[in-house]
C-alpha cells in the first residue's frame, strides 16, 4: 500500500503509517531497527532497493531522506516536505517512507526524521555516497548509534579513509570494511591451521579500492609486520600473500569469485570468495550494532602510515627502515613510526616492545 | 579451535569473523537415503555458501550403489539444487565438488573399508583435510555395531594428531538396556567426547532461544517456578501418518520415537536451573539434574494415555487408520499417540505437572511448549467481568511459525468492565533473518568444530529411557491403545486424563 503526501509534516506521516498498517490488517509491528538512508534523487532508487533486500533479514522502518537541490533563490526560501509512505507488499518486510526535503528544510532534516524513529529501537544511518566529513557530529548522524559510510564511492578513497579515521567515533563503520570480511575470515582460518609467524605481507588489488588499504592496515595492525600494498587491475582485491619462514600463504582471487588458497606443505585449494552486492553488505552491517573496535584499530593504525607512504609523498619516506627501499607503496609496520613523519602522523597506539 | 588465542588475526572483539571449522571431512554411511539427500547434503552446501567450511572440505559417500565419483557428485548436485536454502552459486559448488568422493561397498566388505581408508589418505594429500574426519552413520541402528567395528578394524576410528568423530541419529536404542548396549558398542571404538548424537530439535533456533529467553532476561525467570506456574504442556503433533516407515515404526511407537528424545529434551531445557556457563559440561550437568528429578505418576493407568489413529477424514482427505496401513499387523498395539504426566521433584517445580503429548495424524503439524500460569489469587471485578478470562500462558512455538506467544487478559473496549484473553506475538521471521541456519547446518558445523553443547550425552539418553521404560512396560501389560479419528487432537481418554486434574489441553 502506498500513500503520497505533499506539503506534509512528520505527525501526518506517522498517522499515515498507523492508518496504512490498520488498513492492511496487520497493526502489530515487529521491526527491529530504523534505517535512515541519506541520499540524493539520483542514488535513492538503488539504495532503497538494497535496503529493502536487507530488510528481509532485518525487518526495519526505512526512512529515505532525499535532499532536493533548489535552483532559484525563491525555491531556496520555500521549505516543503513531501512524503511517500509504503507499507506491506510495497515495502519488503517492513515499512518505508521516502522523504523529499525542499528549500531550507534541507538543513533541518533531523527535525523531520526524529519523530519518525521507531520507539526504543536502534537507529542506523547510511550514506550510500557523499557522506559528511564528520558523520557522528552531523545532525542526522547524531541520531544513530551506527553510521555507515562507503569510502569506495568517494572521489579519492585514500583521502576519505584518512578523513574517516580523523573523525572516527564509536559506531562508525564503512562498507569497504564489510567487503573484506570473507577475506579476513579465510586468512584467520589459514593461520588457525598453520600457527606460524608471519614476517611480511603483500596485499594486491585495484588502485582505487579502499578495501585493499583497510585489509592491509588490519593485517599490519594485527600482525605487527611490514605490509606492502600493490596495485593490480582487479576486480577488487586480487591477492594477499603472508610470508613465513616455511613458505608463503597465498590467497589469490583473479576473477572476483573463486579464489585459491595456497599454504606451504599443503595442496592448493579452491575457496569461494564472491564479491557481494550492497544488500548483502548492508545485511551483514545490520547484524551487529555495537561499535566495531577492530575496524577502529585498523582504520586508525593505517592513517599515519598511509599518509606517510602514499605514492605522492613516498620518495622522502622510502628509507623507512622496515620497508624495502624500492617499494614506494609500502605500508610499514609500527617500527616505521619512529621514522621522521609528517606532522599529521601520530604514533601507533600499539607500538610493540621489539 | 584450540589455537584461537595464538592466532594474531583472531580477536574476541572481532565478531564479524565466523567460526570456521578446521581442516576436515565428512563420511556419510547410507548416503543414498532420504535424510542424506534432503538434509545433510543441502546443509553442507549451505555451510559452504555461508563461508563456514574450511577450504578443502571433503565429503565421502559410502553406499552399496555402483557409482563413480562423478555419479555421486551429480547426486549431491541435484540434492543441493533442489533442497538447499541459500541460492545456488557456481563458485561455491566448484569449491565443494573438488572434495566429493564415493566409496562403493557393503558394511561387511573389508575391501570397501580399505578403499575408504585410502580415499581418506588421498584426500589428506589432495585436499589437506589433515586426517580429521567425522563418520555420519545415517543407517538403521542395527548396522551401527557392524559399521563401528569395521571402522575400528581398519584403523579408521582413531588417528594420531587428528580427530575422528562418530555422528549417530536416533533412535538411540528402544529401551534402557538396548541404549546401554549401543552406547557400549560405540564407546568401545570412539571416545565418549567424540560421539555426537543428533537430536535435530536441539539445532533449532527456537530451542536454543529457550535458554536465551530464560537466562538473558529478567522478566521471565522470577515467575518460572511453582509459585506462579500451574502446569506445563509440551506438544509435538504431526499431521502425517507413518508413511513408508511401517517397518521401523511398528513396535516402536510415538512415545519411544518422540517423547524419549525430543520432548524430554524440551522438558529439560524448560525446567533446568541456570547453568554456571554455556560450557557443554555445565549445561549437561543441569540437564542431568532435572532429568534425574523427574518422577512418574504412581498410577500409570490414570496419568498416561496412548492411542492409535483410526480411518477418518483429515483436512479434506480420506485417510486410513493405523491398523489398515500397509505393512502393519492389524493386531498391533503400537501407539501413534502418547500423552504422559510427569512431575519434577525439586524446590522449583514440586507439584507442577508437566504434560507431554505427541502423535501422528493430529489436527496440524505443531511443536510447542506452553507454560500455563496460575489464576490471579483475587479478582476485584464483578463476577461476570472475568468469565471469559482464562489462565495466562507463555507459549514457545518451536515449529512451524517459530516464535513466542503471551496470553493475558485485557479489557474489551466499551463502557462495561469486561476482561477477555488476548495474545501478544513475537514471530521469529518478523524480527530476524529469513535465512536462519537449518538445524542440520548448525549441528554439522558443531560436529566439525567439536562443540558438544547441542548434542544429548549418553547419560541423558539413558536417563530418558529410565523415565519411559516403566510406562512402556505398563502399556505392554495393560489394555490396548485408545482409538482416535485421524485429524483430531487425540483420544477422549487424553482429555479425561487432564480433566481428572481439573485442567484441559490447549488447542495448539
Amino acid at each position: 500500500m502506498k500513500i503520497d503526501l505533499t506539503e506534509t509534516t512528520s505527525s501526518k506521516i506517522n498517522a499515515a503509517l498507523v492508518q496504512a498498517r490498520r488498513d492492511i490488517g496487520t497493526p502489530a509491528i515487529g521491526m527491529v531497527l530504523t534505517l535512515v538512508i541519506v541520499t540524493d534523487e539520483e542514488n535513492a532508487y538503488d539504495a532503497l532497493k538494497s535496503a529493502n533486500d536487507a530488510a528481509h533479514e532485518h525487518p526495519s522502518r526505512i526512512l529515505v531522506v532525499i535532499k532536493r537541490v533548489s535552483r532559484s533563490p525563491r525555491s531556496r526560501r520555500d521549505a516543503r516536505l513531501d512524503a511517500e509512505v509504503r507499507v506491506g507488499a510495497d515495502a519488503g518486510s517492513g515499512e518505508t517512507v521516502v522523504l523529499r526535503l525542499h528549500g531550507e528544510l534541507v538543513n533541518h532534516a533531523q527535525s523531520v526524521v526524529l519523530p519518525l524513529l521507531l520507539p526504543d529501537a536502534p537507529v542506523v544511518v547510511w550514506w550510500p555516497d557523499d557522506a559528511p566529513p564528520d558523520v557522528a557530529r552531523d545532525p542526522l548522524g547524531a541520531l544513530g548509534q551506527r553510521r555507515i559510510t562507503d569510502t569506495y564511492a568517494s572521489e579519492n578513497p585514500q583521502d576519505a579513509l584518512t578523513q574517516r579515521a580523523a573523525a572516527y567515533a564509536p559506531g562508525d563503520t564503512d562498507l569497504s570494511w564489510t567487503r573484506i570480511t570473507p577475506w579476513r575470515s579465510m586468512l584467520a582460518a589459514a593461520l588457525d591451521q598453520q600457527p606460524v609467524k608471519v614476517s611480511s605481507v603483500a596485499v594486491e588489488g585495484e588502485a582505487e579500492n579502499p578495501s585493499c588499504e583497510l585489509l592491509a592496515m588490519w593485517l599490519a595492525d594485527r600482525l605487527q609486520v611490514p605490509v606492502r600494498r600493490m596495485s593490480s587491475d582487479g576486480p577488487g582485491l586480487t591477492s594477499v600473500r603472508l610470508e613465513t619462514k616455511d613458505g608463503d600463504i597465498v590467497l589469490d582471487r583473479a576473477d572476483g569469485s573463486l579464489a585459491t588458497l595456497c599454504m606451504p606443505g599443503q595442496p592448493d585449494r579452491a575457496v569461494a570468495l564472491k564479491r557481494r552486492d550492497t544488500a548483502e553488505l548492508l545485511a551483514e552491517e545490520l547484524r551487529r550494532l555495537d561499535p566495531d573496535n577492530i575496524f577502529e584499530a585498523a582504520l586508525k593504525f593505517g592513517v599515519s602510515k598511509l599518509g606517510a607512504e602514499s605514492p605522492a609523498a613516498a620518495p622522502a619516506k622510502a628509507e623507512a627502515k622496515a620497508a624495502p627501499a624500492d617499494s614506494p607503496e609500502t605500508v610499514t609496520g609500527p617500527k616505521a613510526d619512529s621514522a621522521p613523519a609528517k606532522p599529521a602522523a601520530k604514533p601507533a597506539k600499539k607500538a610493540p616492545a621489539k | 579451535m584450540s589455537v584461537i588465542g595464538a592466532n594474531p588475526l583472531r580477536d574476541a572483539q572481532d565478531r564479524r569473523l565466523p567460526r570456521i571449522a578446521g581442516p576436515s571431512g565428512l563420511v556419510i554411511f547410507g548416503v543414498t537415503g532420504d535424510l542424506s539427500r534432503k538434509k545433510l547434503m543441502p546443509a553442507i552446501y549451505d555451510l559452504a555458501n555461508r563461508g563456514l567450511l574450511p577450504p578443502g572440505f571433503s565429503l565421502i559417500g559410502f553406499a552399496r550403489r555402483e557409482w563413480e565419483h562423478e555419479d555421486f557428485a551429480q547426486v549431491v548436485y541435484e540434492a543441493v539444487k533442489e533442497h538447499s536454502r541459500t541460492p545456488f552459486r557456481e563458485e561455491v559448488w566448484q569449491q565443494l565438488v573438488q572434495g566429493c568422493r564415493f566409496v562403493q561397498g557393503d558394511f561387511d566388505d573389508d575391501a570397501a573399508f580399505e578403499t575408504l581408508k585410502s580415499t581418506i589418505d588421498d584426500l589428506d594429500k589432495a585436499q589437506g583435510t589433515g586426517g580429521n574426519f567425522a563418520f555420519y552413520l545415517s543407517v538403521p541402528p542395527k548396522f551401527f555395531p557392524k559399521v563401528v567395528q569395521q571402522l575400528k578394524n581398519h584403523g579408521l576410528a582413531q588417528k594420531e594428531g587428528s580427530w575422528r568423530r562418530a555422528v549417530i541419529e536416533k533412535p538411540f536404542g528402544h529401551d534402557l538396556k538396548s541404549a546401554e548396549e549401543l552406547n557400549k558398542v560405540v564407546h568401545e571404538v570412539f571416545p565418549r567426547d567424540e560421539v555426537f548424537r543428533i537430536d535435530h530439535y536441539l539445532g533449532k533456533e527456537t530451542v536454543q532461544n529457550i535458554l536465551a529467553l530464560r537466562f538473558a532476561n529478567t522478566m521471565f525467570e522470577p515467575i518460572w517456578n511453582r509459585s506462579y506456574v500451574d502446569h506445563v504442556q509440551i506438544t509435538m503433533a504431526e499431521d502425517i501418518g507413518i508413511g513408508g516407515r511401517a517397518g521401523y515404526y511398528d513396535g516402536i511407537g510415538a512415545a519411544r520415537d518422540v517423547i524419549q528424545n525430543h520432548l524430554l529434551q524440551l522438558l529439560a531445557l524448560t525446567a533446568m536451573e541456570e547453568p554456571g556457563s554455556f560450557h557443554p559440561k555445565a549445561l549437561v550437568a543441569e540437564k542431568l539434574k532435572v532429568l534425574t528429578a523427574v518422577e512418574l505418576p504412581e498410577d500409570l493407568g490414570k496419568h498416561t494415555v496412548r492411542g492409535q489413529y483410526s480411518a477418518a477424514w483429515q483436512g479434506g482427505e480420506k485417510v486410513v487408520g493405523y491398523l489398515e496401513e500397509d505393512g502393519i499387523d492389524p493386531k498391533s498395539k503400537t501407539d501413534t499417540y502418547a500423552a504422559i504426566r510427569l512431575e519434577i521433584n525439586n524446590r522449583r517445580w514440586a507439584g507442577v505437572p508437566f504434560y507431554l503429548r505427541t502423535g501422528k495424524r493430529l489436527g496440524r503439524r505443531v511443536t510447542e511448549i506452553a507454560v500455563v500460569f496460575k489464576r490471579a489469587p483475587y479478582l476485584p471485578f464483578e463476577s461476570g467481568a472475568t468469565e471469559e478470562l482464562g489462565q495466562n500462558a507463555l507459549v514457545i512455538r518451536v515449529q512451524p511459525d517459530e516464535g513466542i506467544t503471551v496470553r493475558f487478559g485485557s479489557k474489551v473496549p466499551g463502557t462495561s468492565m469486561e476482561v477477555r484473553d488476548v495474545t501478544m506475538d513475537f514471530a521469529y521471521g518478523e524480527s530476524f533473518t529469513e535465512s536462519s541456519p537449518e538445524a542440520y547446518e548448525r549441528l554439522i558445523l558443531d560436529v566439525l568444530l567439536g562443540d558438544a553443547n547441542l548434542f544429548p550425552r549418553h547419560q541423558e539418553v539413558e536417563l530418558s529411557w529410565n523415565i519411559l521404560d516403566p510406562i512402556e512396560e505398563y502399556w505392554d501389560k495393560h489394555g490396548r491403545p485408545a482409538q482416535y479419528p485421524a485429524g483430531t487432537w487425540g483420544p477422549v481418554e487424553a482429555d479425561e486424563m487432564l480433566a481428572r486434574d481439573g485442567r484441559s489441553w490447549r488447542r495448539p
Side-chain angles (χ1 to χ4, degrees), chain A:
Chain A
M1 147 162 247
K2 211 163 138 183
I3 303 171
D4 279 319
L5 300 166
T6 43
E7 296 197 42
T8 187
T9 64
S10 298
S11 53
K12 285 183 193 155
I13 297 170
N14 259 328
L17 279 167
V18 173
Q19 187 58 41
R21 281 200 308 266
R22 281 184 167 273
D23 286 354
I24 58 169
T26 51
I29 40 174
M31 290 168 286
V32 293
L33 56 91
T34 309
L35 175 65
V36 181
I37 308 174
V38 190
T39 182
D40 50 23
E41 205 68 74
E42 192 184 335
N43 293 301
Y45 179 82
D46 285 342
L48 183 55
K49 194 164 178 300
S50 301
N52 274 333
D53 286 349
H56 284 291
E57 189 175 320
H58 308 276
S60 20
R61 175 176 287 180
I62 301 171
L63 305 175
V64 187
V65 179
I66 300 175
K67 298 182 176 178
R68 299 282 295 217
V69 183
S70 306
R71 291 202 168 73
S72 68
R74 189 161 44 80
S75 69
R76 266 194 290 278
R77 275 195 303 277
D78 257 3
R80 195 176 101 208
L81 172 64
D82 295 342
E84 197 179 306
V85 175
R86 297 181 206 165
V87 175
D90 291 312
S93 57
E95 26 184 55
T96 301
V97 183
V98 181
L99 301 160
R100 290 195 169 79
L101 280 53
H102 303 257
E104 224 198 311
L105 191 56
V106 166
N107 302 320
H108 304 283
Q110 79 282 2
S111 75
V112 177
V113 169
L114 187 66
L116 295 176
L117 301 177
L118 287 173
D120 228 9
V123 178
V124 178
V125 187
W126 174 35
W127 291 266
D129 37 25
D130 295 332
D134 188 343
V135 287
R137 291 217 179 77
D138 178 84
L140 274 174
L143 295 176
Q145 63 253 67
R146 191 99 174 157
R147 294 165 294 273
I148 307 172
T149 54
D150 191 357
T151 45
Y152 186 61
S154 55
E155 185 63 41
N156 185 332
Q158 272 85 356
D159 288 354
L161 280 178
T162 315
Q163 172 63 42
R164 291 276 153 257
Y168 179 86
D172 286 4
T173 176
D174 196 278
L175 290 185
S176 298
W177 173 248
T178 323
R179 285 187 185 94
I180 55 175
T181 304
W183 283 79
R184 297 197 302 123
S185 91
M186 198 44 69
L187 291 169
L191 282 198
D192 276 345
Q193 294 181 20
Q194 279 190 347
V196 287
K197 178 129 183 49
V198 176
S199 54
S200 70
V201 178
V203 175
E204 188 191 77
E206 283 173 337
E208 299 292 294
N209 192 327
S211 292
C212 307
E213 271 78 18
L214 278 168
L215 186 63
M217 294 190 287
W218 175 66
L219 288 166
D221 176 55
R222 303 299 309 185
L223 299 170
Q224 308 277 344
V225 297
V227 176
R228 287 195 309 284
R229 156 78 160 103
M230 292 169 343
S231 292
S232 71
D233 293 337
L237 266 160
T238 46
S239 89
V240 173
R241 178 182 299 269
L242 308 178
E243 281 150 29
T244 76
K245 63 176 184 345
D246 305 337
D248 292 355
I249 298 174
V250 183
L251 187 56
D252 184 80
R253 182 186 70 179
D255 63 354
S257 70
L258 192 67
T260 314
L261 177 68
C262 316
M263 293 174 68
Q266 290 194 17
D268 292 357
R269 285 165 297 196
V271 181
L273 269 186
K274 179 137 176 69
R275 303 189 74 193
R276 297 178 294 169
D277 62 23
T278 313
E280 282 173 86
L281 299 175
L282 203 56
E284 178 189 320
E285 216 35 76
L286 297 180
R287 241 165 256 160
R288 303 201 180 283
L289 298 173
D290 49 339
D292 189 340
N293 300 336
I294 305 295
F295 170 62
E296 178 186 1
L299 185 67
K300 286 189 173 166
F301 172 90
V303 179
S304 55
K305 318 299 184 305
L306 272 178
E309 310 293 337
S310 68
K317 304 289 163 236
E319 72 273 12
K321 39 191 168 170
D326 57 345
S327 168
E329 284 188 313
T330 296
V331 181
T332 59
K335 259 187 182 172
D337 252 16
S338 52
K342 295 202 299 193
K346 348 172 199 171
K349 283 192 335 195
K350 297 188 179 171
K354 61 180 171 168

Side-chain angles (χ1 to χ4, degrees), chain B residues 9 23 26 28 41 86 107 116 172 185 193 241 247 250 337 346 367 371 415 418 422 479 497:
Chain B
L9 296 184
L26 183 69
I28 302 179
M41 294 172 185
T86 54
F107 300 141
L116 178 61
F172 311 121
V185 164
D193 290 343
D250 201 40
Y337 176 96
N346 61 24
T367 303
V371 179
T415 47
E418 196 188 329
V422 294
M497 168 184 141

